[in-house]
Amino acid sequence: MRGVIFDGKRPHVVDDLEVRAPGPGEVLVAVTAAGLCHSDLSVIDGTIPFPVPVVLGHEGAGVVEAVGAGVAHVAPGDHVALSTLANCGTCADCDRGRPTMCRTSIGMPGRPFSRGRERLFQFASNSAFAEYTVVKAVQAVRIPPDVPLTSAALIGCGVLTGVGAVLNRAKVAQGDSVLVIGTGGVGLNVLQGARLAGASTVVAVDANPAKKPVARQFGATHFIDAAAVPDTSDAVREILPRGADHAFECVGDTRLVRQAIDLLDRHGRAILLGVPPADAEAAFLVSSLYLDKTILGCRYGSSRPQRDIALYARLYREGRLLLDELVTRTYPVEDFADAADDARHGRIARGVLTFRR
């Protein structure tokens, strides 16, 4: 079967992958579509360290091909969106409704793929850049068949991370003010999360002015072209003189982390979603936090995927959550290099790889 692998030097599209059959508590999924997220590119450029060789991809949707023993919530033929959380469901964190903190699933990649005699790692317990993948049952969330799989694929990472950060982690309230730094795939979903939460003033900041129309479409009430103004912070304070109730850093730049903190109002919250290099350090004025300001990390939107993916699919069907509009372009998996280049240069909100059968 076809798939995209990274061997530690560069990515390759191959056609001789194999994946084992599902074991107890597992699901074999025929992947129809998979979003290209910057986390995949971060593995390639070394920002996210990961063992190799690895089958890339972690934002996918498809059709259940087979299930292992004990799986009852999905069956062959069901449409599913995939999450990256292979959480156990039984530890203290899972029991408290915090599956993103499950210690049995973080940093323990499986190796269900093979190529010849070589076994390959699975990225983010998912590896959606393959025609077929095996995931834990908890990762396969059934969705209505009328939700297009090219759009549903984006729920499992970009939407869960962005919208979830707003609703689950920051808990943005109606009437709050929100600052979003960076309007890529995650930033756009933060914007629509703020819209869903009823935020009053939503300021988007990006160095690419071409992103203004889509930022407005997703929920921004104001857009600041960071490349065109002398001082971005001054431009934000013209709109929010007292600062923002919530500031989301969606780029992964430590200078912007500092900016997000500095632009908070009293009792404001800075939520860090961008991914800088693993050894990056950020600086801020400690005294600025004594006005009840908070810096929040956020893993995967603090989501509960079985609950949240189903919710977001319902909001999409009701016309309240934008998914189709996130998909700038689809690419056959063979054109992975083109998709990656477009993503690196900010030409697309989200590119989606597709598998023809």
Side-chain angles (χ1 to χ4, degrees), residues 39 54 68 147 185 203 239 277 279 348:
S39 293
V54 57
V147 178
V203 181
I239 302 166
D279 59 353
I348 53 177

Side-chain angles (χ1 to χ4, degrees), residues 36-38 41 44 183-185 208 210-211 326-332 335-353:
L36 175 57
C37 174
H38 274 277
L41 301 181
I44 295 171
T183 59
N208 183 353
K211 293 185 177 181
L326 284 168
V327 182
T328 310
R329 181 180 169 188
T330 59
Y331 306 78
D335 292 345
F336 172 80
D338 292 338
D341 188 66
D342 286 343
R344 284 193 185 97
H345 290 90
R347 302 185 191 110
I348 53 177
R350 223 22 158 225
V352 175
L353 301 180

Side-chain angles (χ1 to χ4, degrees), residues 59-132:
E59 187 180 71
V63 180
V64 174
E65 185 81 5
V67 300
V71 178
H73 75 290
V74 293
D78 284 346
H79 286 206
V80 292
L82 302 178
S83 90
T84 71
L85 283 183
N87 59 293
C88 70
T90 58
C91 69
D93 285 304
C94 287
D95 189 54
R96 294 187 183 108
R98 301 194 302 237
T100 59
M101 296 296 106
C102 177
R103 286 174 169 81
T104 67
S105 65
I106 299 175
M108 300 181 184
R111 301 172 76 178
F113 297 95
S114 60
R115 191 177 179 219
R117 295 184 177 180
E118 185 175 36
R119 295 174 65 199
L120 287 79
F121 288 97
Q122 185 172 35
F123 180 52
S125 303
N126 191 309
S127 291
F129 293 170
E131 285 188 81
Y132 295 89

